Amino acid sequence: MKDLFHDELETLDFEKDPEAARASINQWVEDVTKGNIKDILIPGSLSAQTTVVLANAAYFKGSWASKFDAEKTQKEIFYSSAEKQTFVDMMSKKGYFNHALNEHLGAHVLEIPYEGDGTEISCIILLPPFTPNGLDTVLEKLTPESLQRALDDGTSREVDLKLPKFSFEKKYELVPILERMGVGDLFQSTSNLAGFSESHKIQLDDAVHKAKIDVDESGSTAAAATVLFSFRSSRPLDPLQFHCNHPFLFLIYDHRSRAVLFAGIYRGPDN
């Protein structure tokens, strides 16, 4: 491991002071994420029996290439479901954006670019029709290939855009998720992690993931009859109305590497 990771390895004394080791790891994650992710390891999560901790942290702060006017942000209704509506701070602007109506995904796809010389990172919004299974259909059909086809089919056009201003933080226990993905044997005593150490039996016991995103007028730090957006119309409006007033999927996407840097679903301020 020393040959592979060099300076990325740090030796901590789990046996004598596991709490000090936990604090050191938490501080490293907090430093890398500029204070956004704190206390990823809770008290008691490490013990004298701990042999290794694999920690990964990433941070992205992007400013919109064309910012929203904060004075135009106002309270509007967000339809979390046909039975539940709430008010959100809705940002709005008109401008030219890369847009596609993708029949395969069953959603409108809009690209909101971030500023920066040479950067090709954008926030991609996938907005399905406001139906009970609209978002589930998108998630079932979304693959790297289908996403790339949707982006390639996009054309620049004038858009009347409305997007909620939001911030949320989530923590996930990854073991059940990894088990459903078919890699749960990593956490079994029969797993072979001999490549980590020639002298110690290494076993993974747990995995956690914590993520936070803020979206506001400056950028990101990540069926009711009154709904103004429909999936298809025989005569498209000019400009196109792209009103994110019901659940949608968002991605922070790097076009150069074709990599999703961050992904999330917004279902409303309480979801």
Side-chain angles (χ1 to χ4, degrees):
M1 289 297 103
K2 289 180 180 178
D3 293 336
L4 291 173
F5 292 101
H6 305 290
D7 296 336
E8 297 179 45
L9 280 178
E10 183 174 347
T11 302
L12 299 173
D13 196 335
F14 298 113
E15 185 174 1
K16 290 184 178 179
D17 199 343
E19 279 301 292
R22 181 185 70 87
S24 178
I25 295 168
N26 282 347
Q27 188 60 55
W28 178 79
V29 171
E30 185 174 339
D31 291 344
V32 172
T33 62
K34 303 295 188 292
N36 282 276
I37 303 296
K38 299 179 180 180
D39 299 324
I40 189 169
L41 294 177
I42 63 174
S45 55
L46 304 185
S47 70
Q49 285 70 50
T50 300
T51 53
V52 64
V53 173
L54 306 180
N56 178 50
Y59 175 78
F60 171 81
K61 182 177 177 63
S63 297
W64 304 124
S66 176
K67 295 178 176 57
F68 291 82
D69 185 349
E71 293 184 355
K72 294 183 179 179
T73 299
Q74 59 185 5
K75 295 289 184 182
E76 293 192 16
I77 295 177
F78 187 89
Y79 299 88
S80 297
S81 67
E83 297 79 26
K84 182 179 179 181
Q85 301 88 37
T86 187
F87 282 97
V88 299
D89 290 324
M90 189 72 76
M91 305 182 295
S92 63
K93 70 180 282 77
K94 287 184 180 180
Y96 282 84
F97 299 92
N98 194 40
H99 167 266
L101 170 59
N102 190 271
E103 296 281 0
H104 174 71
L105 292 176
H108 283 268
V109 183
L110 189 77
E111 177 183 346
I112 311 174
Y114 293 104
E115 69 177 3
D117 295 334
T119 184
E120 293 187 35
I121 299 178
S122 299
C123 181
I124 309 298
I125 307 291
L126 289 87
L127 185 65
F130 188 44
T131 60
N133 300 316
L135 193 56
D136 292 336
T137 299
V138 174
L139 294 173
E140 289 173 1
K141 296 183 177 180
L142 185 63
T143 64
E145 294 75 22
S146 64
L147 175 61
Q148 192 58 50
R149 286 196 298 271
L151 296 175
D152 290 342
D153 290 343
T155 57
S156 179
R157 64 168 300 174
E158 188 177 12
V159 175
D160 175 12
L161 171 62
K162 290 190 176 184
L163 180 67
K165 178 179 177 179
F166 62 88
S167 173
F168 60 77
E169 182 175 323
K170 296 287 185 181
K171 187 172 184 179
Y172 302 94
E173 298 296 331
L174 286 185
V175 174
I177 297 172
L178 293 173
E179 287 176 343
R180 291 198 297 271
M181 293 174 63
V183 290
D185 54 348
L186 270 176
F187 303 93
Q188 303 298 321
S189 59
T190 54
S191 62
N192 183 3
L193 301 176
F196 281 89
S197 173
E198 296 177 352
S199 58
H200 291 79
K201 166 66 175 176
I202 302 295
Q203 179 180 339
L204 297 179
D205 297 312
D206 203 358
V208 295
H209 175 76
K210 197 172 186 179
K212 179 181 179 180
I213 187 167
D214 295 289
V215 174
D216 59 20
E217 291 88 355
S218 297
S220 307
T221 297
T226 52
V227 172
L228 300 177
F229 183 83
S230 61
F231 179 61
R232 172 183 288 277
S233 62
S234 58
R235 185 175 183 274
L237 299 174
D238 194 14
L240 171 76
Q241 289 186 332
F242 195 93
H243 294 177
C244 300
N245 56 6
H246 57 279
F248 59 88
L249 171 69
F250 62 90
L251 313 169
I252 296 179
Y253 186 77
D254 185 342
H255 290 271
R256 284 181 295 184
S257 60
R258 295 190 174 185
V260 175
L261 307 180
F262 193 98
I265 293 173
Y266 185 74
R267 301 181 188 271
D270 301 323
N271 295 282

